[in-house]
Amino acid sequence: LGPLGQWWDRPLPESCWTRGVRRRSAPPLLALWITPMRALAADTCQALQECIDGRDLPWTLEERTGDTSSSRKTRQRHSPPTAMVITPESLTLLLSYPESRETFAHLRCVIVDEWHELMGTKRGIQTELALARLRELSPDHQRWGLSATLGNPDFALASLVGTDATRASTILRCSSSRSFDIRLLAPASIERFPWAGHLGLAMLPQVIECIDQARTTLVFANTRNQTELWYQSILKVRPDWAGRIAVHHGSLSTEIRTWVEQALRQERLIAVDCTSSLDLGVDFAPVDQVIQIGSPKGVARVLQRAGRSGHRPGEPSRMVFVPSHALELIEWEAARRAVSRSAVESRPEIAKPLDCLVQHAVTMGLSGPYTRGMLADQVRRAHAYREIADEEIA
């Protein structure tokens, strides 16, 4: 919030002051923090609120995700906060309203968190198109992208900034590196270990022992079904852990997910079985170990999930890899070598997907009338559509 705090000293239009009185009431929407996950939105809001309170800024801060109530969303349409933490889908919806031009007229800063998670996906294209629309509504806003696991930073910068940046862009790299302790929980006998098609439950005794030796553990699985099965299997073996372990994934209600996150922070849980709902930037200081069930399907995901542990000075990030079948032993060795070389895979570019373009055209139409030329000029600001032909927009 450093640049944002300085921007507060810049004068705002007279319409931004409550009833024309020259006093510092909460200003209009100045900052957007785009996040790919609902759990990360709540965590980010808490951290940003501490910054706002610490600098004594007269700002309001709210989040807008799929968990936000309908009444709050309605209020945000007509009275937006000064800063908003929002998901790409919620931002697209907010841009579809007729009053979107007034909502974003004073926007000064856009931060896209965990940009690597969106790059190379249709959600990333949706975000690029939303950013192109924001550039039209507020041409001078500053744009930031954050990530700790980028394999192709030049493409990340180009796709974030777009084709008509109003100022010079640059890549800032952190000079410090984090230490990782990644080890394998090997099966007792490889001869009787399954070769494919299993959930890893053959390793259940070893995983329970591993959880018992740590203070707090996040147990990551790749699907919600696998997460639920592991949670039930652990409780079946250790019924005395009822109330001390929990499950977390996107299909659970907001109340349950919020309770689990708070219980983790308050050290009331010894383990949480979870999916990717907790693997991006969500920091819980008590977590000192991460267990990965099955292949993580990528070096970036290994680093992200391992990074959820060891959030104390001098502590390394610890991950225990649990293979679900024998072939994943080869994947683990490949991932371990890649992590040791900091070799993160690149995200592929998706060139001008027309389904996302149709969705964006509908969004623009809901917000107000436009011509084909207006649509073409706007979408060509997005890196993915920089070379789109007129006949493809017709």
Side-chain angles (χ1 to χ4, degrees):
L1 279 177
L4 299 180
Q6 296 169 11
W7 288 344
W8 168 246
D9 294 327
R10 288 165 53 186
L12 292 169
E14 185 70 29
S15 59
C16 298
W17 302 96
T18 303
R19 297 182 182 178
V21 178
R22 301 294 294 186
R23 62 185 181 85
R24 290 189 173 184
S25 59
L29 182 62
L30 300 179
L32 279 179
W33 188 292
I34 303 174
T35 176
M37 289 173 49
R38 290 177 291 181
L40 186 54
D43 207 53
T44 301
C45 263
Q46 182 177 351
L48 292 180
Q49 190 62 58
E50 293 177 0
C51 294
I52 290 172
D53 294 342
R55 299 200 59 166
D56 195 27
L57 295 174
W59 287 17
T60 53
L61 170 69
E62 295 180 9
E63 64 179 274
R64 186 185 176 99
T65 69
D67 293 337
T68 307
S69 65
S70 297
S71 59
R72 172 167 287 193
K73 288 180 180 178
T74 301
R75 178 174 54 79
Q76 288 172 344
R77 284 184 58 179
H78 305 288
S79 182
T82 310
M84 185 182 295
V85 179
I86 193 168
T87 56
E89 295 78 12
S90 294
L91 175 58
T92 298
L93 184 60
L94 201 58
L95 286 167
S96 71
Y97 298 136
E99 62 272 11
S100 60
R101 186 170 296 277
E102 291 74 25
T103 299
F104 298 103
H106 307 292
L107 188 66
R108 292 179 176 174
C109 184
V110 177
I111 302 103
V112 186
D113 202 2
E114 304 294 351
W115 182 225
H116 73 276
E117 181 70 12
L118 295 171
M119 286 168 51
T121 69
K122 293 295 181 69
R123 292 185 79 201
I125 299 298
Q126 180 186 32
T127 305
E128 285 189 49
L129 288 169
L131 292 173
R133 174 68 171 158
L134 289 176
R135 183 69 75 190
E136 180 182 273
L137 299 178
S138 180
D140 295 329
H141 75 263
Q142 200 173 54
R143 195 175 293 172
W144 297 74
L146 308 177
S147 176
T149 49
L150 281 174
N152 44 343
D154 292 330
F155 168 61
L157 179 64
S159 58
L160 176 75
V161 172
T163 61
D164 65 340
T166 57
R167 64 190 75 191
S169 56
T170 188
I171 298 175
L172 303 178
R173 291 180 171 88
C174 180
S175 58
S176 62
S177 59
R178 191 168 188 176
S179 59
F180 291 89
D181 178 10
I182 301 177
R183 62 187 181 89
L184 172 69
L185 199 61
S189 174
I190 192 66
E191 289 79 9
R192 299 184 61 84
F193 200 60
W195 283 95
H198 287 258
L199 299 177
L201 290 174
M203 300 291 293
L204 181 60
Q206 295 95 315
V207 169
I208 290 177
E209 182 181 357
C210 197
I211 293 173
D212 211 13
Q213 294 174 352
R215 183 172 66 169
T216 306
T217 303
L218 293 181
V219 183
F220 282 104
N222 292 330
T223 66
R224 296 171 185 178
N225 178 57
Q226 189 178 17
T227 297
E228 293 280 0
L229 288 174
W230 266 91
Y231 172 70
Q232 295 166 10
S233 300
I234 292 173
L235 276 183
K236 187 175 181 179
V237 177
R238 292 296 301 266
D240 56 308
W241 282 358
R244 301 181 64 202
I245 67 172
V247 64
H248 189 290
H249 56 69
S251 294
L252 298 175
S253 67
T254 305
E255 293 76 17
I256 293 176
R257 285 185 280 110
T258 300
W259 182 89
V260 172
E261 293 162 18
Q262 291 300 324
L264 266 174
R265 293 186 179 93
Q266 297 166 5
E267 301 187 51
R268 288 186 283 147
L269 297 173
I270 62 171
V272 174
D273 290 274
C274 54
T275 60
S276 56
S277 58
L278 288 181
D279 75 354
L280 286 177
V282 185
D283 300 330
F284 302 101
V287 175
D288 54 5
Q289 175 182 253
V290 166
I291 295 177
Q292 170 65 42
I293 306 295
S295 171
K297 310 297 183 183
V299 180
R301 181 161 288 183
V302 170
L303 296 174
Q304 285 289 341
R305 292 185 173 180
R308 306 286 63 79
S309 67
H311 285 274
R312 292 180 297 276
E315 286 287 324
S317 294
R318 293 186 173 90
M319 171 180 275
V320 178
F321 177 71
V322 179
S324 61
H325 55 77
L327 292 179
E328 287 183 339
L329 294 171
I330 301 174
E331 289 192 45
W332 172 82
E333 178 60 21
R336 186 192 64 79
R337 294 185 182 186
V339 170
S340 66
R341 302 195 310 269
S342 299
V344 181
E345 64 272 6
S346 298
R347 298 289 171 138
E349 179 180 359
I350 301 178
K352 54 185 179 182
L354 298 183
D355 54 345
C356 294
L357 180 59
V358 170
Q359 182 185 29
H360 183 69
V362 173
T363 299
M364 281 192 64
L366 291 170
S367 65
Y370 65 90
T371 65
R372 186 177 70 177
M374 291 169 59
L375 177 63
D377 290 342
Q378 185 182 123
V379 300
R380 286 187 181 123
R381 293 190 178 101
H383 182 76
Y385 296 93
R386 63 194 182 278
E387 297 178 351
I388 192 167
D390 289 339
E391 54 269 21
E392 294 177 285
I393 301 177

